[in-house]
Amino acid sequence: MSESVEHVLIVGAGLAGLRTAEELRRAGYDGELTLVGDENRAPYDRPPLSKQFMRGDTDDTALRPAEFFADERITLRLGVSATGVHTADRQVTLGDGTSIGYDRLIIATGLRPRRIPDFPDVRGVHVLRTHADALGMREELANARNAVIVGAGFIGCELTASFRAQGVPVVLIEPQSTPLAAALGPQVGALVARMHGEEGVDVRCGVGVEALVTEGDSVRGVRLTDGSALEADLVVIGVGSVPATDWLTESGIPLAAPIDGGGVLTDEVGRTTVPDVWAVGDVAAWLLDTGRNKRIEHWTNAGEQAALLAAALLGTEPPAAVRVPYVWSDQYDVKIQVLGAPALADEVQVVEDKGRKFLAHYFRGGTLVAVVGAGMTGKVMKMRGQLAATAEAAAL
Ligand SMILES: Cc1cc2nc3c(=O)[nH]c(=O)nc-3n(C[C@H](O)[C@H](O)[C@H](O)COP(=O)(O)OP(=O)(O)OC[C@H]3O[C@@H](n4cnc5c(N)ncnc54)[C@H](O)[C@@H]3O)c2cc1C
């Protein structure tokens, strides 16, 4: 690292921003470290928001205790948005009218939930990304009579399970043929649909939401594209997210096209083509071994990227391990685990199917590229070695 690095500025005080700060300190960086975040809350964990937090099982989502930041000399500037970057003079402008200089800038601003254009912003309609979103939803859940969840991705499915745990009837709407079809394919998606059905969820696939039905400033239900109408006093829009890059549009920092998923374009260690500007986590479209840039919206990835980025930024030894993508999702009493890359598969074999526990192997050209299990932790994790070998050979 050049001698001139005295201040690393990380914008986005979420998981990836925090992990990068931690990895920089672990790798020996001794200079100034600032984390800027627009939420009024020290870095916290998002996975519990749709699960334990929503069920009321925990309120504690902090990733680190307050004293950690003092001990590690990490300055937190919370409740303030970054609004732009002047790369020529290395300044980030902030929403409070001030600006802050950097020697190295790390962009870690994550995602914003996608909304449905033209849907009115009325009481009872929610998205979920932040602690504040989760708190608002949980408060209304306590008195909800019936809920509609639009979008059966991971978050939609997890919220469905959490709502059922509170005894609230749920209709789960998914335009694709099954829940989780985009992530896991329709064969395994059908097993997930069956599990929700057994829990009393009305799972409706192959249909979308056309309009919200409102009364005054509150939601009363939804109208579906098949002409049917559903009553609901709680509606969740869970139709994916977009990278939080609006503050970068004038900066000259290269962004991926929205059709390619958007995000900050980087090399294979998080470096952009603009000197001393890096990106990490959900917002970052890293160059993968496949030769393509892609954003990965999962928890484990944020920590793995942080370690690689910190090593590259400081010129220290990078972590050696082969990375096998890993995602988990808790629904009811079942942990669904995804190891590898199901999207690459041209063949799926469900090798075990016992009630709500199942195990599926995903192949491409006869080679194992992913394993998905529900309630099968041991059997999924046993495959890590085999998938690591595939990953190395075939740039999984
Ligand atoms: C409800 C929920 C459940 C999840 N469950 C799982 C799970 O079970 N398993 C799994 O693998 N993954 C899960 N994830 C995904 C995982 O939480 C994310 O991959 C992880 O949070 C990514 O971290 P990040 O730091 O890149 O982004 P974020 O955690 O989104 O952090 C980015 C931060 O930057 C802030 N920010 C944005 N713009 C600006 C700006 N202009 N100025 C200042 N600050 C800004 C944001 O407000 C946010 O605080 C879940 C996500 C959610 C929302």
Side-chain angles (χ1 to χ4, degrees):
M1 184 176 60
S2 97
E3 289 305 308
S4 63
V5 180
E6 288 168 8
H7 184 205
V8 177
L9 171 62
I10 302 175
V11 178
L15 177 71
L18 173 65
R19 289 286 183 262
T20 305
E22 291 173 350
E23 292 290 349
L24 286 167
R25 283 287 185 244
R26 192 177 326 201
Y29 173 64
D30 197 36
E32 210 182 324
L33 252 177
T34 306
L35 265 174
V36 170
D38 61 0
E39 295 182 74
N40 252 322
R41 178 169 282 274
Y44 62 88
D45 218 10
R46 287 176 210 278
L49 299 182
S50 49
K51 311 175 185 78
Q52 300 91 329
F53 182 90
M54 193 54 60
R55 293 195 303 265
D57 295 345
T58 185
D59 276 343
D60 180 18
T61 54
L63 282 162
R64 292 286 186 185
E67 58 273 20
F68 170 84
F69 298 93
D71 291 349
E72 295 293 322
R73 292 180 298 113
I74 298 170
T75 305
L76 289 177
R77 283 195 65 177
L78 301 175
V80 64
S81 302
T83 51
V85 189
H86 297 289
T87 57
D89 53 359
R90 291 166 201 249
Q91 293 281 324
V92 168
T93 54
L94 302 179
D96 62 5
T98 63
S99 61
I100 180 164
Y102 64 84
D103 296 319
R104 300 288 184 271
L105 169 64
I106 299 169
I107 298 163
T109 43
L111 308 176
R112 302 260 184 238
R114 189 177 281 129
R115 296 179 188 259
I116 302 180
D118 304 334
F119 274 22
D121 193 11
V122 289
R123 188 139 40 96
V125 180
H126 295 264
V127 293
L128 177 58
R129 181 75 191 174
T130 66
H131 189 277
D133 294 338
L135 200 57
M137 195 184 290
R138 193 173 75 174
E139 277 166 14
E140 284 191 14
L141 180 64
N143 297 312
R145 280 177 310 220
N146 35 33
V148 167
I149 297 188
V150 183
F154 283 117
I155 290 178
C157 287
E158 289 171 3
L159 284 175
T160 297
S162 296
F163 286 14
R164 290 300 298 133
Q166 304 305 306
V168 175
V170 180
V171 184
L172 179 60
I173 310 289
E174 170 55 51
Q176 298 205 35
S177 61
T178 69
L180 294 174
L184 307 182
Q187 244 173 296
V188 169
L191 304 179
V192 175
R194 185 182 69 191
M195 173 174 73
H196 284 283
E198 284 166 5
E199 291 286 343
V201 178
D202 181 352
V203 182
R204 300 204 191 177
C205 293
V207 66
V209 172
E210 196 167 74
L212 294 178
V213 179
T214 59
E215 191 182 299
D217 63 353
S218 297
V219 73
R220 286 285 167 260
V222 298
R223 219 174 43 240
L224 303 185
T225 49
D226 63 5
S228 55
L230 300 169
E231 274 185 29
D233 50 6
L234 181 55
V235 173
V236 179
I237 308 293
V239 295
S241 302
V242 292
T245 52
D246 43 326
W247 63 290
L248 297 171
T249 42
E250 307 282 303
S251 68
I253 296 167
L255 304 177
I259 196 164
D260 296 324
V264 181
L265 285 167
T266 79
D267 68 6
E268 69 286 354
V269 289
R271 193 188 284 113
T272 74
T273 52
V274 173
D276 303 324
V277 178
W278 304 65
V280 67
D282 283 9
V283 76
W286 276 34
L287 179 65
L288 302 185
D289 294 344
T290 53
R292 292 179 50 205
N293 286 79
K294 192 171 183 301
R295 291 187 309 97
I296 298 176
E297 302 179 2
H298 299 303
W299 194 95
T300 312
N301 175 66
E304 289 173 346
Q305 284 189 345
L308 287 167
L309 186 157
L313 192 148
L314 298 173
T316 57
E317 195 61 32
V322 177
R323 296 160 65 211
V324 180
Y326 174 72
V327 185
W328 82 94
S329 174
D330 299 314
Q331 298 174 32
Y332 309 104
D333 54 346
V334 170
K335 183 175 287 298
I336 298 176
Q337 294 170 300
V338 184
L339 200 55
L344 296 181
D346 52 29
E347 187 198 344
V348 181
Q349 288 176 9
V350 177
V351 293
E352 282 191 55
D353 182 6
K354 298 178 187 155
R356 59 175 58 193
K357 294 186 176 185
F358 61 79
L359 186 69
H361 290 172
Y362 291 66
F363 299 91
R364 183 185 186 83
T367 303
L368 187 74
V369 292
V371 178
V372 175
M376 295 271 180
T377 304
K379 289 185 178 170
V380 172
M381 287 311 176
K382 219 172 66 185
M383 306 300 280
R384 186 179 275 274
Q386 200 173 327
L387 282 162
T390 314
E392 226 163 28
L396 185 139

